[in-house]
Amino acid sequence: MQFEQSKTLASRTYIGLVLSQFLAAFNDQAIHIVAIFYASDMLIRFAQVSFFDQKLVLAVVTGCFISPFFLFSPWAGVLADKFSKRSTIIFWKVTEVGITALALIAFLLPHAVEVGAESARMLAIISAFLLIACVFMMGTHSAFFVPAKYGVMPEILHTSVLSRGNGILEGTSFVSNILGTSFGGILYSSLKSTVDVNGVLHPNREWVIGAVLLGLAVIGVVFSFLVRKMPAAAPEKKLTWNPLVPLKGSFQELGRSRSLVLATIGIAFFTFMTLYMRQSLLFEGETDKDLAEMQRKLVAMQKAEKNATRSAFKPVVQANGATSTGRVAGPASGSPVATLPEGELTTVEDAAMDKSQEHELRIAMLVAFIGLGVGIGCAVAGQLSGNRLELGLVPIGGIGMAVLTLALAAATPLHLPGVTIACLILIGFAAGLYIVPMYTLLQHRAPKESKGSMVAVSNFLNVTGGLVAIVVFYCLTLGLQAVLGLSMTNKDAVDIESTQRYIAQLEFAQRIPPLLFGSASVITVITLLSLIWQRPDFLVRTLSWIRIPSRRYVRAVHADHLPGRGPLIVVTNCSDIRQWMHVIAVVDRYTRFVMPQTISPEDQRLASFSRLLGITLPDASPSDPSQWNAMLESGARSLREGNMVGLYVGESTVSASAMELIRGLQSRTSADILPVYYGEYPPHSSEEKRISGRTSVVIGERLPADATAETIGDGLFKFAVPPEATQDALPAEQGV
């Protein structure tokens, strides 16, 4: 029995996929952020491992999560296509149960012994590295799970609901990221072990985090069984141990489609920005946390020094009952830090715990606010796209990210919490508008038999972007620290004087995060300009989406008829630039169209903008040979580059001048012909009133290059015939 696509989002398979991936993303983010906090506390603040500092912990933990995508994506794509994606999803959900069980063991290790400081130190180090290993394993789980998750979407959902389905999938994924990040930060701050001023570790109940994540993983397995059985997309694919073989094939497939190249690069940049901003926020939070703890340590050292001074000389009862003054034995000679009395130590530790929890909660919530914005932005992007692939949202999202990261850089030094939160949410919102069209473009344009492989190669490029983010972050922070003269670490704070110097450096280090946010804005602008240089029609799509409200409601019909690659001459009944904008809204490929002779005053700006970007061809008459030949050569050049050239052929029949233009283009380069009809669809009969909202862009069947005027007219204008005028029933609607 053939597996059928659902035309509604209420299908059992889609719900099961959303719920199972929701819990997977939750566990990913919870383990990720808890591992950063836990490794920082165990390796830096307690064990004081010599070669670890805060930026290295951030780089190592983040690198462990994304490196599996780099290592295993070639095989993940092949497996997602060779085997049923349902089987892949269930297998890795079961694997997630084992990984979270191992994380639970890691949290329990510090409770294993109560002997000696060295045993506690070694167990803390082992525990931290085991949890970091769990982060790597969760990254491996995601590397294989994600190609199946995204690759299965076009298999289970009809193209008319694919954009909305992607919006909900991405939205719930980022809501899950928010909850996982918040859960990890809040629970860790409440249950974490503490290190007192004397360097003694007091284990707490972090194991509760592991137990909860294990339970959620089990529930996720149950939800994954809601996905109905489906056949493999390409069972004939061969497995190989050489990762370069499938990777080479996937890149060759990718290189054949300009749209796929654009989508994968755009998604990789999103991954870069996500990880770069996450690391920048965590660096800011951990710097504030270190500053608070060093201030607490300084207070404790100053109190200990006062206590030692007061008790340096006190009455001593001699054997004969007389009294004299003598020095009481203090800390061991050479000890850099005096020990506090037990009562004062408890007071200082309680205050320190409250302060430390405050910073960890703040870090978790700052990261979560971006996720909240992305979730909202994804849902809104899905709704705005309707049944189309709306690439016009990409520049809006990119410009929003650039402006808002710059605003965040300006607001951070002012310590305005409300402004910071608003900036983070809006940055996420803009990123959501940006990413949904990119993912939909990838899913829609990937060949049916290799959707999993395309998602996998996209993941490979994503991790490349993520690794670049880690390297850029690490090198930039290292360089800024060197420029600002920040050379001390917490291990150097051994007495009051050195601790005061270290505190001054930490206060100076608070200048670094605004510079990181500002650099994110610059990188976004550069990337956006590069995308627009590759696809100048992006800006025209955006401008027309803003200036032509009716464009947002046009329906896409038979969008699956549009080939993903190759030169095409698009013949339409669109006689003005606004109607052409409706066509461009539906097709996801770069299209140059012949500018109509007459342009209304309100469309002059849009027409001028199109000419400036070079996506229109000047209208010319055969009576003017120089302009005519220039226009034909420009159009033929676009066709040779694998793009589409669109032209107006008439309202009811194909005109002679249109055929002359088609033949002129065909004489320079051969290209198939694609009829695209604009108008009411299905058309109303003479007895019916025109129904508002039925305006559609209908993509017809592909025609050979040598098609006659009659054949082209039949392929185009048949969509304008009322139902009762033809014996053939009109085909069902299909959309992007």
Side-chain angles (χ1 to χ4, degrees):
M1 181 178 176
Q2 186 177 3
F3 184 85
E4 294 184 358
Q5 295 174 320
S6 173
K7 295 183 179 180
T8 173
L9 299 181
S11 70
R12 173 186 128 179
T13 296
Y14 179 70
I15 293 173
L17 175 67
V18 170
L19 292 176
S20 58
Q21 71 90 33
F22 180 92
L23 293 176
F26 183 98
N27 281 352
D28 280 346
Q29 297 307 312
I31 288 182
H32 192 170
I33 196 162
V34 169
I36 290 174
F37 292 148
Y38 190 77
S40 298
D41 285 341
M42 295 297 107
L43 299 178
I44 300 176
R45 298 183 178 94
F46 172 57
Q48 295 190 357
V49 178
S50 59
F51 55 87
F52 265 94
D53 60 9
Q54 192 57 56
K55 60 181 178 298
L56 184 58
V57 168
L58 287 171
V60 167
V61 176
T62 304
C64 283
F65 183 73
I66 67 172
S67 57
F69 289 90
F70 185 83
L71 298 173
F72 306 125
S73 285
W75 293 299
V78 175
L79 292 173
D81 291 325
K82 183 175 180 61
F83 300 103
S84 169
K85 293 180 177 62
R86 176 183 187 266
S87 301
T88 303
I89 290 169
I90 292 175
F91 175 83
W92 286 104
K93 289 301 295 182
V94 172
T95 304
E96 184 183 333
V97 174
I99 297 171
T100 50
L102 193 61
L104 175 59
I105 294 173
F107 287 126
L108 288 171
L109 274 181
H111 300 265
V113 296
E114 298 292 336
V115 295
E118 278 304 312
S119 297
R121 182 178 181 274
M122 182 56 64
L123 277 176
I125 294 173
I126 295 173
S127 175
F129 280 113
L130 183 58
L131 190 61
I132 293 174
C134 289
V135 173
F136 178 84
M137 285 182 257
M138 285 300 289
T140 303
H141 152 274
S142 295
F144 286 92
F145 183 84
V146 169
K149 177 181 80 170
Y150 285 115
V152 80
M153 286 286 286
E155 295 182 20
I156 67 177
L157 293 182
H158 192 270
T159 49
S160 61
V161 293
L162 184 57
S163 283
R164 289 197 296 272
N166 274 326
I168 293 175
L169 186 72
E170 285 297 299
T172 54
S173 177
F174 278 96
V175 168
S176 178
N177 290 345
I178 299 166
L179 296 178
T181 302
S182 304
F183 168 86
I186 293 171
L187 227 60
Y188 182 79
S189 67
S190 303
L191 303 174
K192 70 171 187 170
S193 301
T194 57
V195 182
D196 63 29
V197 294
N198 296 320
V200 177
L201 177 68
H202 301 277
N204 205 336
R205 294 178 296 159
E206 296 99 335
W207 60 267
V208 172
I209 302 174
V212 173
L213 298 183
L214 176 60
L216 293 176
V218 172
I219 297 173
V221 172
V222 176
F223 284 140
S224 68
F225 279 95
L226 292 176
V227 178
R228 295 185 183 275
K229 293 182 179 180
M230 62 186 68
E236 72 283 356
K237 280 194 173 183
K238 295 182 180 180
L239 294 175
T240 175
W241 288 108
N242 185 356
L244 298 180
V245 173
L247 195 62
K248 180 181 178 182
S250 296
F251 271 110
Q252 288 175 342
E253 182 72 33
L254 180 69
R256 297 189 187 102
S257 172
R258 192 172 181 178
S259 295
L260 284 177
V261 172
L262 177 75
T264 51
I265 293 176
I267 295 170
F269 169 70
F270 175 80
T271 303
F272 172 93
M273 279 295 295
T274 299
L275 291 177
Y276 186 80
M277 288 297 295
R278 183 188 183 96
Q279 289 181 106
S280 298
L281 289 170
L282 288 169
F283 180 83
E284 180 199 17
E286 288 295 315
T287 300
D288 290 345
K289 181 179 175 181
D290 281 344
L291 177 60
E293 291 193 353
M294 285 299 106
Q295 289 171 339
R296 178 262 298 188
K297 182 177 180 180
L298 178 62
V299 172
M301 294 168 71
Q302 290 171 338
K303 285 187 176 182
E305 185 179 57
K306 289 180 180 179
N307 289 334
T309 301
R310 285 198 302 266
S311 59
F313 293 93
K314 62 182 296 184
V316 176
V317 180
Q318 298 180 350
N320 59 7
T323 61
S324 65
T325 55
R327 185 177 295 276
V328 176
S333 176
S335 175
V337 180
T339 302
L340 278 174
E342 184 176 353
E344 293 194 27
L345 175 63
T346 302
T347 302
V348 172
E349 284 300 321
D350 289 342
M353 184 181 299
D354 291 341
K355 196 68 175 176
S356 178
Q357 289 179 2
E358 176 186 331
H359 283 286
E360 281 160 348
L361 288 172
R362 178 176 176 272
I363 295 169
M365 294 311 298
L366 287 179
V367 175
F369 282 133
I370 291 185
L372 173 63
V374 173
I376 297 172
C378 287
V380 171
Q383 290 300 315
L384 292 177
S385 297
N387 76 327
R388 304 182 315 279
L389 168 56
E390 187 50 81
L391 292 175
L393 296 176
V394 173
I396 295 176
I399 293 171
M401 285 190 287
V403 172
L404 291 164
T405 47
L406 189 61
L408 180 64
T412 300
L414 302 177
H415 301 290
L416 302 173
V419 176
T420 299
I421 291 172
C423 286
L424 292 173
I425 294 175
L426 290 174
I427 288 170
F429 180 83
L433 295 180
Y434 168 91
I435 194 59
V436 167
M438 288 295 190
Y439 267 121
T440 306
L441 179 61
L442 173 66
Q443 294 165 343
H444 182 64
R445 278 294 154 222
K448 181 179 179 181
E449 68 280 2
S450 58
K451 289 187 184 294
S453 296
M454 285 299 100
V455 175
V457 78
S458 176
N459 286 340
F460 183 85
L461 294 175
N462 289 350
V463 77
T464 302
L467 292 173
V468 171
I470 293 173
V471 172
V472 170
F473 167 80
Y474 187 83
C475 293
L476 196 55
T477 51
L478 188 65
L480 289 172
Q481 286 177 333
V483 170
L484 297 175
L486 310 178
S487 57
M488 294 182 68
T489 67
N490 61 346
K491 294 186 289 292
D492 299 321
V494 295
D495 54 28
I496 291 178
E497 183 180 354
S498 60
T499 301
Q500 288 174 333
R501 289 200 309 271
Y502 185 45
I503 288 174
Q505 286 201 8
L506 288 173
E507 290 174 342
F508 206 55
Q510 290 179 318
R511 300 182 181 185
I512 294 178
L515 297 175
L516 295 176
F517 300 143
S519 65
S521 177
V522 173
I523 294 170
T524 302
V525 170
I526 294 173
T527 304
L528 186 60
L529 291 176
S530 300
L531 290 176
I532 293 173
W533 179 70
Q534 286 291 322
R535 286 288 297 266
D537 60 319
F538 268 177
L539 288 180
V540 172
R541 291 172 185 269
T542 302
L543 183 62
S544 66
W545 188 83
I546 295 171
R547 290 182 57 84
I548 309 175
S550 60
R551 208 208 87 172
R552 306 172 202 172
Y553 307 105
V554 66
R555 297 186 307 164
V557 182
H558 297 320
D560 54 333
H561 288 176
L562 178 65
R565 63 176 69 95
L568 284 172
I569 297 176
V570 177
V571 294
T572 80
N573 61 328
C574 298
S575 58
D576 63 57
I577 193 170
R578 289 191 171 227
Q579 293 176 353
W580 263 111
M581 290 300 105
H582 289 125
V583 173
I584 289 178
V586 168
V587 300
D588 55 22
R589 294 182 54 190
Y590 180 49
T591 307
R592 299 185 72 187
F593 59 92
V594 178
M595 182 69 70
Q597 289 181 339
T598 57
I599 301 172
S600 61
E602 62 269 20
D603 293 332
Q604 284 291 346
R605 184 176 299 177
L606 186 59
S608 300
F609 195 55
S610 300
R611 291 192 189 98
L612 179 64
L613 295 175
I615 68 167
T616 59
L617 300 172
D619 190 24
S621 170
S623 60
D624 188 344
S626 60
Q627 290 189 6
W628 178 258
N629 290 330
M631 186 264 293
L632 288 177
E633 188 54 44
S634 180
R637 190 183 309 114
S638 291
L639 292 173
R640 285 192 291 269
E641 292 172 355
N643 299 318
M644 303 196 303
V645 172
L647 51 98
Y648 167 70
V649 298
E651 292 292 342
S652 57
T653 59
V654 179
S655 66
S657 59
M659 283 306 300
E660 189 171 358
L661 178 56
I662 293 173
R663 296 303 174 220
L665 290 171
Q666 297 283 15
S667 66
R668 285 165 171 77
T669 183
S670 180
D672 286 350
I673 298 170
L674 187 71
V676 175
Y677 173 78
Y678 172 79
E680 182 186 5
Y681 183 85
H684 65 283
S685 63
S686 56
E687 291 80 15
E688 293 178 331
K689 293 183 178 180
R690 190 180 189 283
I691 301 175
S692 176
R694 277 174 119 175
T695 302
S696 305
V697 172
V698 189
I699 299 177
E701 300 283 350
R702 186 173 181 172
L703 301 175
D706 58 355
T708 63
E710 184 179 358
T711 303
I712 295 173
D714 290 342
L716 175 63
F717 299 115
K718 67 179 180 180
F719 299 111
V721 179
E724 70 273 10
T726 179
Q727 295 179 355
D728 297 329
L730 288 168
E733 176 185 338
Q734 293 179 352
V736 178

